[in-house]
Amino acid sequence: MSPDLVAVIGFLALFALMLLRVPVGMAMGLVGVVGYAYVVGPWPALKLVGQTSLRTVSDYTFGVIPMFMLMGALVTVSGVSRELFKAANSMIGHLRGGLGAATVLACGGFAAISGSSVATAATFSNVAYPEMRRFNYPQSFSTGVIAAGGTLGAMLPPSTVLAVYAILTEQDIGKLFMAGIIPGLLAIAMYVMTIAVIVRVRPGWLPLGEQRSWSERLADLKSVWAPLALFIFVIGGLYGGFFTPTEAGGVGASGAFLLGLARRRLDRAKIREALLSATRTAAAVFTVLIGALLFGYFLTVTQTPQRITDFLVHLGIGPYGVLFVLMLMYLALGCLMDAMAMIILTVPIVFPVVVHLGFDPIWFGIVVVMTVELGLITPPVGMNVFVIKSVVEGVSFSTIFRGVAPFVVTDIVRLLIIIAFPMLALWLPSRM
């Protein structure tokens, strides 16, 4: 068989295994090894499995993933999410729609130290949803704003998705983290503006919250000093060049542990819970990474990336036309696949196209992750929507998707802004 036919059969086999609910990492690894064995030979393929697995789990650069995951797990079990929501709620919760805006702000703060969209959505389903329902917020809005706020974990540093993109494309992880800050802050601002527009269009739909005294507000604000200090220390160290990304992850995890102990928020049971959670998540990510690398070697020997590059470049639609096609592909895949799997599966294929067309790799990483964020909240398989459905009882998928629809429109507008003004993503990395 020709290499092109082998590659097509490989992709068909991969999607077939995924439809059969085989884990994505296992499916990519299996197809990659079998395909590589067919093209090159069985013994080189078996040798490749051992070398790739050992190199991935022992590579110093890859250590950034479990370190930041441990930091996020320690922060989660320390109850920081409730402190962030309580502080934001104290300041603006009394306004019409204020609880929704407070949820967005708290999600942003939590995402900035957890790095996980799914964890953010799951956490605030327990923290913010009961409070919004207590003040008679509509169920669709309550779940929709949590689903949208959860996507901030994919953009704001330390984002696991950005770290994986950096590793796959051999880009500077620190610069990608810096590149995500302004688009992430823009997302928070635009989500709050979206809520303000909803309040203006439907004045009586969102109720008023509870007014608090300034002494209570200041007391609640004081409680968020720990996560704020941790974020500034870790990201400031990265921006100033004092830490490498892997060192920043270690410093962040150590800082989260020490702060939790100092504030008496960690006991033996919570430490064990955090360690187990971080280990399980890191193991899942490394499984997908190893599988993706094996599948990437299979694509390399069939010359698939080069052929796709030639095809897209010679379509005659220009660089931004090709970019538009790639974004449509990501939006379609986002409706069917997990964000991490989508990044790991597609980036090795499309990255050569992006480089050939002259786009900045750091900027493209932000654009891709923003598109992936859309996949987290769009039907039929928005991962954040599934997480909220599993946590919140008595809510339907249609209700959540109806509530998140205005924020999907907001995300599309934000994506167009970043494409039109690349310096929004590139200014901070250029200052490093």
Side-chain angles (χ1 to χ4, degrees), residues 24 51 150 152 404:
V24 175
Q51 289 178 339
L152 296 170
V404 84

Side-chain angles (χ1 to χ4, degrees), residues 23 28 52 63 66 72 98 106 118 154 167 197 225 278 339 347 362 402 410 413 432:
M28 286 193 291
T52 303
V118 172
I167 291 169
V197 170
W225 70 267
V347 164
I362 300 291
R402 189 167 62 250
T410 301
V413 173
M432 292 179 68

Side-chain angles (χ1 to χ4, degrees), residues 41-266:
W43 291 116
L46 291 176
K47 185 178 180 180
L48 186 68
V49 174
Q51 289 178 339
T52 303
S53 302
L54 181 61
R55 186 172 63 249
T56 302
V57 298
S58 60
D59 193 314
Y60 174 79
T61 305
F62 284 85
V64 67
I65 296 175
M67 286 295 98
F68 276 123
M69 285 180 172
L70 179 58
M71 183 180 82
L74 288 168
V75 166
T76 301
V77 299
S78 298
V80 168
S81 58
R82 294 189 180 276
E83 293 175 342
L84 291 169
F85 179 72
K86 188 177 179 182
N89 186 25
S90 293
M91 298 302 295
I92 60 175
H94 61 284
L95 302 173
R96 195 172 297 278
L99 274 175
T103 300
V104 170
L105 294 174
C107 283
F110 185 77
I113 46 179
S114 73
S116 170
S117 294
V118 172
T120 304
T123 300
F124 283 90
S125 295
N126 286 316
V127 173
Y129 180 79
E131 190 72 6
M132 283 192 279
R133 293 297 288 160
R134 185 168 74 89
F135 284 94
N136 296 317
Y137 273 69
Q139 193 177 45
S140 60
F141 176 84
S142 302
T143 53
V145 76
I146 293 171
T151 63
L152 296 170
M155 181 59 63
L156 289 167
S159 165
T160 305
V161 178
L162 281 176
V164 170
Y165 171 88
I167 291 169
L168 290 175
T169 58
E170 298 183 351
Q171 298 301 308
D172 189 301
I173 297 176
K175 288 187 176 182
L176 269 162
F177 281 174
M178 291 301 108
I181 292 178
I182 293 179
L185 294 176
L186 180 64
I188 295 173
M190 292 183 69
Y191 285 161
V192 173
M193 290 170 58
T194 302
I195 295 170
V197 170
I198 292 172
V199 170
R200 186 69 180 267
V201 173
R202 304 180 67 178
W205 194 50
L206 300 179
L208 296 168
E210 182 181 0
Q211 180 105 25
R212 303 198 181 192
S213 67
W214 276 105
S215 60
E216 290 177 311
R217 295 179 186 181
L218 292 175
D220 290 336
L221 275 178
K222 288 179 181 177
S223 66
V224 302
W225 70 267
L228 181 62
L230 183 63
F231 176 78
I232 292 174
F233 185 61
V234 173
I235 301 303
L238 262 178
Y239 184 74
F242 298 106
F243 310 137
T244 66
T246 304
E247 290 168 349
V251 168
S254 302
F257 177 71
L258 293 174
L259 283 172
L261 290 179
R263 302 173 73 206
R264 298 182 180 179
R265 300 295 179 83
L266 291 176

Side-chain angles (χ1 to χ4, degrees), residues 276-328:
L276 287 174
S277 174
T279 302
R280 291 192 188 102
T281 309
V285 171
F286 274 96
T287 300
V288 177
L289 266 175
I290 292 169
L293 291 172
L294 293 171
F295 189 71
Y297 286 122
F298 162 61
L299 295 179
T300 300
V301 296
T302 58
Q303 297 187 333
T304 301
Q306 296 92 319
R307 295 179 189 278
I308 292 176
T309 300
D310 290 339
F311 172 74
L312 290 175
V313 167
H314 292 95
L315 279 178
I317 56 177
Y320 282 94
V322 174
L323 181 66
F324 179 71
V325 170
L326 293 178
M327 294 303 99
L328 289 179

Side-chain angles (χ1 to χ4, degrees), residues 9 14 70 102 114 122 148 164 171 226 251 304 313 315-316 319 350 355-356 365 370 378 386 390 411 417-418:
I9 293 174
L14 175 62
L70 179 58
S114 73
V164 170
Q171 298 301 308
V251 168
T304 301
V313 167
L315 279 178
V350 304
V355 173
H356 184 87
M370 288 176 63
T378 51
F386 269 79
S390 66
D411 274 348
I417 291 173
I418 297 298

